[in-house]
Amino acid sequence: METQNNFKRTSELIIKFLKKELSVQEEKEFQQWLNASPENTALVESFRNTTHVQKEINYLSAVDINQGWADVSKQIAVKPTKTLAWSKILRYSAAAILIVSVGFGVYTFNAKIKSGNNETAAVHDIMPGSKKAVLQLADGSVIDLSDANLSLVGKNGKPTMWAKKGVLAFNPEENRNNRKGYNLLKTPRAGEYKMILPDGTKVWLNAVSSLRFPTSFNKSERRVELTGEAYFEVAHNKDMPFKVAFNKTEVEVLGTHFNISTFSGKSKTTLIEGSVKVTEGGKPQLLKPGEEAVVNNGAVNIHKTDTYKSIAWKEGAFYFKEDLMTDIMNQLFRWYDVEIIYKGNPDTKRYSGNIRRQATLNQALEMLNAVSGTKFSLEGRTVTVDFNK
């Protein structure tokens, strides 16, 4: 029976083979393993023949095999049993290295083996979210920004705003004297968008979120209203504090980097850099870098946190750290625009991992299944999570 070290070594060889990086000695070692069993050949071909591989093979250049295995070893205890064939374990170990190291589910693991021949299954899948948003202007007009490259020109012939490659920006000179009013940027399910406000503040808006902001800031403050989740890099201006209002909470800053999430009935403000003041119920509290303020039913709890967990979405990743499966599925619900149905009682186990948001839904579900053993099925745009063992 294969040992964990052998699984690691074989996984390394498979990855290097796919990347065409085998040395002469490794080539001999790989061929010896390959010729040892038809099942080995079928396993490798199942990776090579996956429909997504050729489009995404360039991502393999970023693989750090040693780090990938170190990460995977923490999550998956490779213990062969009578009910888990070594080939399946090897498939998950090699694939998990790819997913964790590259941060992208390169393989869909959907190959079927019949009569000794490999057959790739045609499986219904859902692509990840993309740059999608709708901008509602103060005059009531609506602009679909999805994949849009556009520019709006003012009366003097100069652009007042433009959108390009998923970024919306405003010309501060042309917006300074606009008549008062509010714009609203909204992202749907499976959508995200970046915006640069007239003062230079950068905002990344996550899926199912919105930001209401004035056509021009007044001379005393810069105030916006948030629903959902957004990451802010606020342009410094000591004379004009930047304020974010959400639920019954307000965050005030002069210039800093922070994330705010208002999903699930409670809000989280995570400070990356600088300082912010969180006011709830008229009571202000200061946050330091690396701290998070959780507001739930009017109560504020401030604690140290892993800041990357809060901003991973902005960096293009799902980053789970001691999360319940239901919390993980809530993220997939928003990013893939699917409905979630649960069978049985959701378990209380907590899971950690890292998957790129560019992965297809099936790729994400396969990885979660490999780590947790939870069964998933996809029909249309509905994911059924089966906790019945």
Side-chain angles (χ1 to χ4, degrees):
M1 183 62 69
E2 294 272 335
T3 65
Q4 177 166 325
N5 287 336
N6 286 342
F7 283 124
K8 176 187 177 183
R9 179 56 178 165
T10 305
S11 298
E12 291 173 351
L13 292 175
I14 292 173
I15 294 170
K16 286 189 174 184
F17 169 72
L18 293 170
K19 294 169 65 180
K20 298 181 181 179
E21 293 181 355
L22 289 172
S23 66
V24 174
Q25 182 58 40
E26 287 172 335
E27 176 69 30
K28 293 180 180 179
E29 183 181 354
F30 179 72
Q31 286 298 328
Q32 184 178 6
W33 172 82
L34 202 64
N35 296 332
S37 168
E39 192 175 9
N40 294 349
T41 302
L43 176 63
V44 173
E45 288 303 311
S46 73
F47 286 133
R48 287 167 56 84
N49 290 336
T50 303
T51 56
H52 296 281
V53 170
Q54 295 307 313
K55 293 180 181 179
E56 300 161 359
I57 198 71
N58 289 337
Y59 282 94
L60 290 173
S61 62
V63 171
D64 179 344
I65 292 173
N66 291 327
Q67 183 59 47
W69 182 261
D71 292 340
V72 172
S73 295
K74 296 177 183 178
Q75 307 304 326
I76 305 176
V78 184
K79 298 179 180 179
T81 66
K82 293 181 179 179
T83 59
L84 187 59
W86 75 266
S87 60
K88 184 175 182 180
I89 297 173
L90 178 57
R91 172 180 296 281
Y92 285 148
S93 62
I97 288 175
L98 289 170
I99 289 178
V100 175
S101 301
V102 183
F104 188 39
V106 177
Y107 301 110
T108 56
F109 325 123
N110 288 322
K112 293 181 179 179
I113 299 175
K114 293 185 179 181
S115 303
N117 296 321
N118 180 69
E119 178 184 287
T120 302
V123 177
H124 167 60
D125 205 351
I126 292 177
M127 299 306 292
S130 59
K131 306 297 183 184
K132 290 186 289 189
V134 171
L135 177 65
Q136 181 177 317
L137 297 174
D139 62 7
S141 59
V142 176
I143 302 173
D144 185 355
L145 299 177
S146 304
D147 301 320
N149 289 326
L150 58 86
S151 177
L152 293 185
V153 178
K155 294 181 179 179
N156 60 2
K158 295 182 179 181
T160 59
M161 56 163 281
W162 55 88
K164 186 176 182 180
K165 296 182 178 179
V167 180
L168 174 66
F170 294 85
N171 185 334
E173 296 299 326
E174 296 302 312
N175 284 278
R176 184 171 290 121
N177 298 317
N178 278 351
R179 65 183 181 84
K180 296 299 180 182
Y182 286 87
N183 299 324
L184 181 67
L185 182 67
K186 297 178 65 175
T187 54
R189 292 188 192 178
E192 64 179 6
Y193 219 80
K194 178 182 176 181
M195 174 170 55
I196 303 175
L197 292 169
D199 69 328
T201 292
K202 298 176 182 177
V203 184
W204 285 259
L205 206 60
N206 204 351
V208 197
S209 303
S210 68
L211 192 75
R212 185 174 182 263
F213 56 98
T215 54
S216 62
F217 292 118
N218 61 39
K219 297 180 179 180
S220 61
E221 67 176 12
R222 297 167 289 169
R223 184 183 179 86
V224 299
E225 299 172 14
L226 172 70
T227 62
E229 183 169 23
Y231 175 81
F232 295 83
E233 290 184 359
V234 176
H236 181 75
N237 187 333
K238 65 178 181 180
D239 298 321
M240 291 179 62
F242 191 95
K243 298 179 180 180
V244 184
F246 51 94
N247 299 337
K248 297 180 180 180
T249 307
E250 182 179 271
V251 170
E252 178 180 338
V253 302
L254 294 177
T256 189
H257 300 179
F258 59 98
N259 190 84
I260 296 176
S261 173
T262 68
F263 295 124
S264 304
K266 63 181 179 182
S267 67
K268 296 180 181 180
T269 301
T270 309
L271 182 61
I272 312 301
E273 179 183 309
S275 64
V276 301
K277 181 170 63 177
V278 178
T279 301
E280 171 69 18
K283 181 181 178 181
Q285 298 188 60
L286 290 178
L287 278 187
K288 299 176 182 178
E291 290 184 338
E292 181 175 77
V294 179
V295 181
N296 192 10
N297 293 325
V300 181
N301 175 38
I302 297 177
H303 59 269
K304 283 285 187 180
T305 188
D306 179 353
T307 57
Y308 184 73
K309 180 175 170 62
S310 293
I311 68 170
W313 69 268
K314 177 249 182 185
E315 301 298 321
F318 294 111
Y319 178 65
F320 313 120
K321 187 173 182 181
E322 296 298 312
D323 284 340
L324 295 170
M325 184 59 70
T326 50
D327 294 332
I328 295 172
M329 295 308 298
N330 283 338
Q331 293 191 46
L332 270 58
F333 152 78
R334 291 189 292 268
W335 186 234
Y336 293 98
D337 187 13
V338 292
E339 300 299 328
I340 310 295
I341 296 177
Y342 296 104
K343 284 187 177 181
N345 296 319
D347 62 38
T348 57
K349 295 178 182 178
R350 295 182 178 271
Y351 303 97
S352 300
N354 186 359
I355 305 174
R356 290 290 291 176
R357 277 159 68 100
Q358 287 92 335
T360 68
L361 178 57
N362 275 334
Q363 288 170 341
L365 295 178
E366 288 281 1
M367 184 58 185
L368 290 174
N369 170 261
V371 173
S372 69
T374 305
K375 296 180 180 179
F376 305 92
S377 60
L378 174 62
E379 184 174 351
R381 302 198 74 87
T382 299
V383 176
T384 300
V385 187
D386 190 350
F387 289 104
N388 295 315
K389 296 293 179 76

